[in-house]
Amino acid sequence: MTRPSTPPILLELRSASSLASQIKALRQLKNELIGHEQRKEMWVALGVLAPLVRILESHKGDSKRGLGDSDAYRNQDETTHLETEDEQARLQAIIIIGSLAHGGPPFLSPLHASLAVPPLLALLSPCQSSPQLILQTLRTLNNIADALVLSISNQSRTDASLPALLYTEGVLRSLNGLILQSSPSMVVHQQITLIAALISKTCQEENQRALLVQMGVLDGLAARLTSWIATTLMFSSNGEQKPSSTYELADGTIYLRNARLSSVLYAIGVIIQYSPSRAAHLLNTPCLTSIFQNFDNDIRPLCEEATASQPAGSKTTFKPPPSFVETLLPPLPTPPPRSALDHSMGFPPSDCIKVQSRQSQWPRCRSSAVELFTISGLEHVGEDESPLVPWLIYISRIFDEVTNLVAVRLLAILYSLRFVKKSRDSVIALLIVPPLVRMLDKDLRISQNALHPLDNSMPASASEIIKEEAPAVLAMLTVNNPKTQKAAADADAIKKLSQLLKESFDPVAINVPSAMWSSEPPKPTVAPSGNKTTRLGAPGVSPVAYHITRVRETTLVALAALASVKDEYRKAIIDNGVIPFVIRALKVENVHSTASPSSASPNDGDIEPIVIHGNSRESILAACGTARALSRSVSALRTSLLDAGLTAPLFVLLRWCDIEMKIAATAVICNLVVEVSPMREALLEGGILRLLCDHAHSDSVNLRLNAMWALKHLVVNANPRVKKDCLAELGAGWLRQIISNDPDMPSKSPVVDRDDGISTPIMMSTPNAAGEQVDLLNAVEDGSRQSSQAPEEDEDEDLKMSDSIGSLSKPENELKPRGASMKDRPSLEYSQRISLHQGSYLPDEIAVVKEGLEFIRNLMMGNDVDKMIDHIFHEIGQDEFLKILSAKLRPKVINAFSRDRKLPESNAVRHIQPQPEILKSACYILVHIAASGPKHRQLLVSQPKLLELIVPLFNHPDQEIRACCAWIVINLTWEQDASDKTACKGRARHLMSLGIYEKLEAMENDSDLNCKERSTEMKLDAAVVRSLSLDPAKTRVASHGGSGFTTTAKITTTLHDGSQKHFFLKTGEGRDAEVMFAGEHASLNALHTIPSLCPQSFAHGNLDSGGAFLVTDFLNMSSNHISASDEQGSGLSLAQKLAKLHTTPAPIPEGYDRPRFGFAVPTCCGDTVQENDFTESWADFYAQHRLLAILKKSERTNGKDEQLRSLVKMTAKEIVPRLIGDDHLNSGKGVTPVVVHGDLWSGNKGRGRIGGKGAVEDVVFDPSAAYAHGEYELGIMRMFGGFGESFMKEYHSICPKTEPVEEYEDRVNLYELYHHLNHYAIFGGGYKSGAFSIMRNLQRKYGSNK
C-alpha cells in the first residue's frame, strides 16, 4: 500500500469542510511534527506552509474585544481561554509554525517566502487576539529569532525577515502595550518575559534601538523593572513588606509574580548599550526616579530621630546616606579579607549582606573611594549617581546565578558608559569581579531555579549563557582598569579564561538525528525548483558549534581586556599557553555544523566526536583584539607571537573581503610595525607597505585611520627608500588633499584623485564601519558611536610609539616616543571591542587630517632629514605645503549671517580656533623642519605670515603646544657651524621683531615645568667647563632629550683650530647618579678598546651646582641607510665588533697578577647597583654578585618570597657550578675573562656617527661593563630580541661557543635568568614568572632532584 501523493491532512487544511475538521487536522499535523525533524522537512516540501499562513490571515478579530486599545490591554486577564473555533485553529497553526521554526535555520527560507511573519505580528494586538494566542505567538516568534541566530546567510536582512517587520512603529506600539499591562495573571507576565527575550535576540542595529526608545518600549521595560525594585526594597528591611499602595506605578498597582527579572534586565542592556543618551534616558525615567525617591524619603525621619535622641549638648548629627539602596551594600573592609570573597561558588548569597535593622545600617553605608587613573573619552559621572547602580550591585548577590550575571551585565554597560562613579571601582573590584570570575569555574553549581533569560526550554541553557556571557561582562569591567584587572587576576581569571579558550578547540559530541523510518524505500521529495515556500534553506550553524564559537569569542575578548594595560598580565596569559590557540582563532575557515536533515543516514543517530574547526566572524575579530593587546609587549613578540606564526593569518585577513576583518587585522599590524618591533622587516618583505597604502585609500574611515596610523610608525627611522616608496604608493596628490581638508569648516565632500586614477571620498559624508553615510559635522549628540582614533599607545617601557617631541634641537636627534596620553574607551560590541578607536573623542575627519600630518612628520625622522624634507617639498609642492601648514594654524572666521564665509564685515563674525590635535601635528612638523639644516631654517624665517601665526600659540592653554612653540624658536636660533653664525643672528633678530622674545620671557613663569625649561637656555656648569678645558665664550649647551634617570644635553664648542666638537652631557641628582656615571665612564672606556664600538667618555664628577655629571662623545643616531657620500668607517658589523671584544682578554686588574672576573667600580643595570668585587672564579662571581645580590634587592623592593628565595639559592648552589664551573667549561680549563657590555638589549644598540660626524657605524651605548664570560652577554640579548639568526651566526663564526657546546642554550638561559630577576626587582610583575620558568627547567635537567 502506497502513501497518497497529497496526505488527507493537507487536503483538509487546503479546503476544510468545517472549522472543527480543520482544527482536528491541525492537531493531527502538530502531533506528527513535534519532535520529528525529517517529517517537518517532508511537510514543508508538500506545501503545508501556504494553508497555515491563510489560517493565520483569516482572523477578523473578536467584537467582544473591540473596546479600544487601552481597555483591551487592561482586560486581558479577564479572558485567558480561547473563545472561538477560529482562535483555536489559529492557535494550532501558530504552534505548528513554531515547531517548524524550532527546526532551525533551514526552515527560515520557506517561512519567509510564505510570508508567515506578518500575520504572526498582526496577532500581537489584544484587540485581535486572546492572551493565550498572543503568548503562543510570542513563543513562535522567539523560535524564529533563535533560528536566525544560527543562520549563516543574510536571511535576517531581508525585507520579509523578522527584524525588518518587528521594528516598525505599529508592532512596537503593540509590544509596549503588552509590556505595560497591569494584570497579575501568569500569562501576561510570560508575555512580558517573551517580549523582552525577543527584543534581546533581534535588536542589533542602532536604528532599532533608537526606535525602541522612541516608541516607549524602554520606558515600558523600566516600569516593569520598577516592580522588582519596589519588591526587593520592601523585603530588604527585616522582611517587613510595605503596602503596595505606598509605591504605586502609573497604573496604580505593582505586579511581578511571574515576570522573569533576568529577561527584563537583559533587554534593557541590549537597548542602552553603546549609547550614553539612551542610558541617561533610562536612568531619568520618572518611574525609576520616583521609586527610589520614595524609599529615600523614609530615611530622613530616622536620621532626625537618631539626632534628636543624642544627649543634651552633643553635636553628633546623623546625615542620611545618598540613597536608601546604599544602606543595603556591605561596608568595604580595609584590607579586604580574602576569605570573605572566596567562601562560596558563584555570587555570594544574601547572607553576606544581611543587616540587623535600618537604624543600625545607614551610618556605615558609604564605600571608600580609591583613586584610579582616568580613562579618556567619556567622563565618569560625579557623585550624583543613579540609585539604580547600587541596586544592581545589591541584587547581583541575592538571586540565582543567571539573574546575578545579567544584573552585573547591565551594571557593566552603565560602567562602560561612565554612569558609575569612580569611587565604585573598589566596590566592583571587591564585590563584583571575584564572584564573576568564579562563574568561570568548571564545576560551578547552578541553582535549579536559574533560567536562561532568552530561552524557556533547554535545561542546559543556564550553564551555557554563564559560559558565554561571564567573560564578556568581565571584559567590560576590566578593560583599561588596573584596579579591576588586579581583582580579576587575583581571582585566577587568566588561568580560567585560558582553559576555556583551549577547551573551545576540543572535540565535542554532536548528536545527528536519525532518519525517519518507513516500510518503503526512501523516495526523496523533490520540490519545485522555483517555489521557495517548499524548499529548505541553508543549514546554518549547529547549536553546539554556535555555543563553542561564542564562548571562544567572549573568552578572547576577556583576555584582550586583561592584557590592555599591564605587561604583567600579558606575560601571565602567554605563560598559560594560549598563543597557539589565538593563532588558530585568527584563521578563516567554515564553521563545522551538523548535517542537514536530508543528509542523514540510517546510522546517523550515533554520537561521534567532531572538532569544531571553524571560527565565526566574531571570534576572528575577538582574536585580533587579543593579538593586538599581547603585541604591545616586545618580549611577547619575540617569545610567542613571532614564533607562533602570527603574520600568516594576518595577511589573509588583510586581503579578506570583510571590511571589519580588515580593520581588525590592520589594528594588530599597528603594533607590529613600530621601530622596536622585530617583526617590522619581515612584514616589509611580505608586502605590508602596499597593503597598508591600499587600506589608507579605503572608503571605510576606520580602516583608513588604522592604516595611516600603521604607516606613520612604519616610516619612523626607516630606510629612506622605504619612506619614499610609502609616499609614492600613497600618492603625493592624495596626501596633499588629505591634509588640506579643513574639518573645522562645513563643506561638501570632495573626492580625492589618487595617482592611480582611483577616486576616494574623504570628507564629511564618509561611510562608517557599518557602511552608513555619516555627516560628522552635524551628527546627533548620541555619543554611542565610537571615535575613530589611533590604536592604543601603551605605557609599557618595552614598547612606546614614536610620537613625541623627544629632543628636537638638531636634525640628527632621534625623536623618542611620547608616553600614551589616551586610553581605549571600553566598548561593548565585539566588532568595536577589537577596533582601535580610542582616546579623547575626535571626529573622524579631524583624525584623518591629524594622521596625515603625523605621517609627514615621521617621514622627517632619522637619517638624511634634509634630503627627505626636500623630497616632500618636491612631491607635495613647497609653497603648497607651507600654505597648508599656515591654514592649520590660522583661526577660522565665519559670518553667521552670510553663506559667503569670506565676508566678515557683519557684527556676527565668529572665530573658530583650530583643533588642538591639528595644531600639535602642524607645530611638530615646523619643529622638525627647523631642526634640519640652515637652508630649511632660512626657509621658515622667510615665511613671515607663517611665523606670525606661531606667536599667539605661546599663550595656548595646551602646554604641549606652548612647548612646541619654544622648540621652534630653539631650533631656528641654532647655530649649525661657523658658516651659519651670521644667518643665525639674522633669524634671531627677525623672531625678536615678531615679539617672540617677550613671549619667551613670559614663559619663564609658565605653570608647566617643560615649558619653563624650554624658554630658558641651559647654562653649562663650571665643573664641566673645567673638566673639558672649554672656552665658555665658544661653547653652547642645549637640552637634548632625557631619560627616566638623567637629564641630557648637547654641548657644542669651537676648538683652538676652529673646528667644532660635540659632546653629550648627562646630569643627575644624588649618590645614585654619582655611582651610575662613574660606572658608565669606566664601562665606555673599557669597551673603547674597539674604538668604533661606542662613544668615548671624557669626564665625570660632581657639579658645582649640585648633582653629578658624565661627558661622552655625542652620538648622532641614524637609520640603517648609508649614502654614497658617507665615510665607510671601520667596515665592521656589530656582530664582528662584539665578537672581537669577546675574544680579546680583559686587562689584568691593578694590584693583581692574573686575570680576574669583576670590574674596578660598581656599575648600574637599570637602577640596580652591581657590586663587582674581583673574583678568581667566574661561577662564584655570577652566583654571589649577580644571582644572590639581585635576590637581596628583590626582597627589599617586593618583599620576601620563600619560593623565589629557594629557587634562586638552589640555582646558585647547584646549577651554576654544574653549568659554568671552572672545572667544567672548556674541559676543565675554564674561561678567560673578557670585557662585556652587560646590558646589551636592542634598545642599547643602533647606528650613528660618534662625535656627531664622520662615518656611520654600528654602535652600542649605556653599558654596564664587567670582566666576564663572553656568553654572559647573550642572556640580555636573547631576553628582548633584536639580534637575529644571521647576527648570531656571524658572531659565532668569530667567537665560537664555549665547550661543552651541547649545553650552550642552557648557559645562555642561566645568564638570561639574572636579567629576569633584575627586571622583577625593578618593575615587579610578570618578570618573576619568566625567572621561575628558567630555574625550574634548569633544575629538572641539572638539579640534584632532577
Side-chain angles (χ1 to χ4, degrees), residues 104-392:
F107 293 90
L108 287 175
S109 179
L111 285 172
H112 288 153
S114 61
L115 301 179
V117 176
L120 288 171
L121 294 175
L123 292 170
L124 293 178
S125 171
C127 301
Q128 306 292 332
S129 308
S130 67
Q132 288 289 353
L133 206 61
I134 292 175
L135 179 64
Q136 192 57 53
T137 299
L138 289 169
R139 286 173 177 160
T140 295
L141 291 172
N142 270 273
N143 286 347
I144 296 174
D146 289 334
L148 280 171
V149 171
L150 301 177
S151 173
I152 59 176
S153 65
N154 291 323
Q155 298 181 58
S156 61
R157 299 183 180 272
T158 64
D159 293 339
S161 69
L162 175 58
L165 298 171
L166 177 63
Y167 291 97
T168 59
E169 292 187 5
V171 175
L172 293 183
R173 188 177 295 111
S174 297
L175 290 181
N176 194 39
L178 294 170
I179 292 172
L180 291 174
Q181 295 174 94
S182 57
S183 169
S185 75
M186 179 180 292
V187 171
V188 167
H189 289 287
Q190 288 176 340
Q191 291 175 2
I192 295 170
T193 297
L194 289 169
I195 291 171
L198 184 62
I199 291 171
S200 300
K201 296 171 185 177
T202 58
C203 184
Q204 297 180 348
E205 306 292 338
E206 280 297 297
N207 63 325
Q208 294 170 348
R209 298 185 182 98
L211 190 60
L212 287 168
V213 176
Q214 177 185 335
M215 299 309 300
V217 175
L218 179 60
D219 297 73
L221 291 171
R224 308 319 307 172
L225 181 61
T226 305
S227 302
W228 280 100
I229 293 172
T231 300
T232 54
L233 297 184
M234 287 175 190
F235 283 97
S236 64
S237 178
N238 294 328
E240 176 185 355
Q241 183 174 6
K242 290 186 169 290
S244 61
S245 59
T246 305
Y247 304 101
E248 291 184 353
L249 301 180
D251 55 30
T253 318
I254 297 177
Y255 294 111
L256 50 83
R257 295 176 189 170
N258 302 301
R260 193 178 297 176
L261 174 60
S262 59
S263 299
V264 174
L265 289 173
Y266 201 99
I268 290 175
V270 167
I271 296 172
I272 70 169
Q273 60 187 345
Y274 322 132
S275 172
S277 63
R278 290 195 295 269
H281 181 98
L282 168 71
L283 298 178
N284 291 306
T285 304
C287 60
L288 279 180
T289 56
S290 63
I291 194 69
F292 287 115
Q293 185 64 44
N294 288 336
F295 279 95
D296 293 345
N297 290 339
D298 288 348
I299 300 179
R300 294 188 178 89
L302 297 175
C303 298
E304 296 171 359
E305 180 182 345
T307 302
S309 66
Q310 296 300 305
S314 173
K315 297 182 179 180
T316 302
T317 58
F318 290 92
K319 295 181 180 180
S323 69
F324 172 78
V325 192
E326 294 281 2
T327 67
L328 306 178
L329 301 182
L332 294 184
T334 307
R338 292 186 61 84
S339 59
L341 300 178
D342 296 334
H343 72 280
S344 65
M345 301 298 295
F347 281 77
S350 57
D351 293 346
C352 297
I353 57 172
K354 182 181 289 185
V355 298
Q356 297 177 356
S357 67
R358 257 160 57 183
Q359 289 90 335
S360 65
Q361 186 181 10
W362 62 261
R364 57 187 180 90
C365 67
R366 299 284 286 188
S367 299
S368 61
V370 177
E371 183 67 23
L372 296 176
F373 76 89
T374 302
I375 300 175
S376 301
L378 293 175
E379 294 297 330
H380 277 272
V381 71
E383 291 302 309
D384 187 19
E385 178 190 70
S386 170
L388 182 64
V389 171
W391 182 79
L392 288 171

Side-chain angles (χ1 to χ4, degrees), residues 304-489:
E304 296 171 359
E305 180 182 345
T307 302
S309 66
Q310 296 300 305
S314 173
K315 297 182 179 180
T316 302
T317 58
F318 290 92
K319 295 181 180 180
S323 69
F324 172 78
V325 192
E326 294 281 2
T327 67
L328 306 178
L329 301 182
L332 294 184
T334 307
R338 292 186 61 84
S339 59
L341 300 178
D342 296 334
H343 72 280
S344 65
M345 301 298 295
F347 281 77
S350 57
D351 293 346
C352 297
I353 57 172
K354 182 181 289 185
V355 298
Q356 297 177 356
S357 67
R358 257 160 57 183
Q359 289 90 335
S360 65
Q361 186 181 10
W362 62 261
R364 57 187 180 90
C365 67
R366 299 284 286 188
S367 299
S368 61
V370 177
E371 183 67 23
L372 296 176
F373 76 89
T374 302
I375 300 175
S376 301
L378 293 175
E379 294 297 330
H380 277 272
V381 71
E383 291 302 309
D384 187 19
E385 178 190 70
S386 170
L388 182 64
V389 171
W391 182 79
L392 288 171
I393 296 174
Y394 168 59
I395 67 164
S396 71
R397 301 160 58 83
I398 64 174
F399 284 96
D400 61 85
E401 291 79 6
V402 172
T403 305
N404 292 345
L405 175 61
V406 176
V408 175
R409 179 180 180 273
L410 181 55
L411 173 68
I413 291 172
L414 293 172
Y415 183 80
S416 66
L417 295 174
R418 304 300 191 269
F419 285 97
V420 178
K421 59 188 179 183
K422 284 298 291 180
S423 57
R424 292 281 182 206
D425 278 349
S426 293
V427 178
I428 292 172
L430 290 173
L431 302 183
I432 299 297
V433 172
L436 181 61
V437 173
R438 282 195 293 276
M439 285 192 164
L440 303 175
D441 289 347
K442 210 169 185 180
D443 55 349
L444 176 66
R445 297 178 183 176
I446 301 176
S447 306
Q448 292 184 352
N449 59 339
L451 298 175
H452 196 303
L454 311 183
D455 196 314
N456 293 299
S457 56
M458 294 186 295
S461 60
S463 172
E464 289 179 354
I465 193 175
I466 289 175
K467 279 192 173 183
E468 293 174 7
E469 291 291 337
V473 175
L474 183 65
M476 285 189 277
L477 291 175
T478 57
V479 63
N480 289 326
N481 190 323
K483 185 75 172 181
T484 53
Q485 285 177 3
K486 185 178 186 305

